[in-house]
Amino acid sequence: MYLITDRTLFADVLCLYSAVEEALKGGAKAVQLREKDLPVRQLLTMAYTMRRLTSDYHAALYINDRVDVAIAVEADGVHLGLNSVPVSAAKKASGDRLLVGVSTHSFSEAVKAEKDGTDFITFGPVYPTPSKLRYGPPVGTDALREVCSGVTVPVFAIGGITPERTAEVKSAGARGVAVISALLGAHDREKTTERFLRYLQ
């Protein structure tokens, strides 16, 4: 399970840290720091805190888009959008130390990301979700199945994923799920994480 941050869901950043730690206690093993609007200094401060948190729970940390920040805080990887630096540039800048993920929204984008050398992709939005409205209507599980069968890199389903939908995306071939509000907005994040993991097993 791949947790993606969104500090706008909370009153302040300390509440976000607490929410992430609850998910880590529940067994989350990967966190992506995704705060696109932050100036780099603030992002770097958050990244150091997230690195300490994820290290305490033996979880991976990915930084959205900023290869320099990922290198500085010794993150495990970086997650790139379609308008980010190329996969090859991210790998070269980090001396091939960083794992690189790419956000994709169509079969052609997924195939290109694999050809470019990505280590994994997120694909979606699979289901309707407010955070992904700008990417258009949900792609659905048929498109997810096509992508999962058309690439060899791990595919993480994203967009409207709930614990109850996890079995469906897994049966379509997804290696795992990437979640934002379904976990960060949960009343009990530790137990919700455990539920996600039970459905994934």
Side-chain angles (χ1 to χ4, degrees):
M1 195 187 72
Y2 191 96
L3 172 62
I4 300 174
T5 72
D6 182 354
R7 75 187 193 287
T8 66
L9 297 173
F10 301 93
D12 58 55
V13 71
L14 294 179
C15 293
L16 171 62
Y17 296 147
S18 295
V20 169
E21 185 164 19
E22 288 173 36
L24 291 167
K25 286 179 180 177
K29 290 300 179 186
V31 176
Q32 179 190 333
L33 179 60
R34 183 181 182 272
E35 306 296 338
K36 293 184 175 183
D37 60 320
L38 278 184
V40 67
R41 284 182 178 271
Q42 286 180 253
L43 182 66
L44 188 61
T45 299
M46 284 191 73
Y48 277 119
T49 301
M50 288 292 183
R51 176 73 286 181
R52 287 193 295 272
L53 264 178
T54 51
S55 294
D56 286 346
Y57 290 90
H58 307 290
L61 174 66
Y62 296 86
I63 305 297
N64 190 80
D65 215 36
R66 295 300 301 248
V67 179
D68 52 346
V69 172
I71 293 170
V73 303
E74 298 184 356
D76 299 277
V78 64
H79 196 87
L80 305 175
L82 296 175
N83 297 317
S84 304
V85 299
V87 173
S88 58
K91 287 182 174 286
K92 183 178 180 180
S94 69
D96 276 333
R97 192 187 64 78
L98 293 175
L99 289 173
V100 178
V102 174
S103 295
T104 66
H105 314 286
S106 68
F107 182 80
S108 60
E109 289 176 2
V111 170
K112 182 180 185 302
E114 180 175 47
K115 184 179 178 181
D116 289 345
T118 190
D119 296 296
F120 65 92
I121 63 173
T122 55
F123 180 75
V126 179
Y127 303 101
T129 178
S131 67
K132 298 291 181 184
L133 287 175
R134 63 186 177 280
Y135 298 115
V139 295
T141 53
D142 287 343
L144 174 64
R145 184 174 288 104
E146 180 186 23
V147 165
C148 291
S149 63
V151 299
T152 59
V153 296
V155 178
F156 290 80
I158 191 171
I161 307 294
T162 62
E164 294 74 22
R165 288 170 167 167
T166 300
E168 186 175 26
V169 298
K170 187 178 177 183
S171 68
R175 181 73 61 88
V177 295
V179 295
I180 306 174
S181 57
L183 183 48
L184 294 180
H187 175 68
D188 189 325
R189 299 178 190 93
E190 186 173 347
K191 288 185 177 178
T192 301
T193 302
E194 292 170 352
R195 286 180 65 212
F196 267 110
L197 294 174
R198 281 199 301 272
Y199 278 101
L200 280 170
Q201 289 171 352

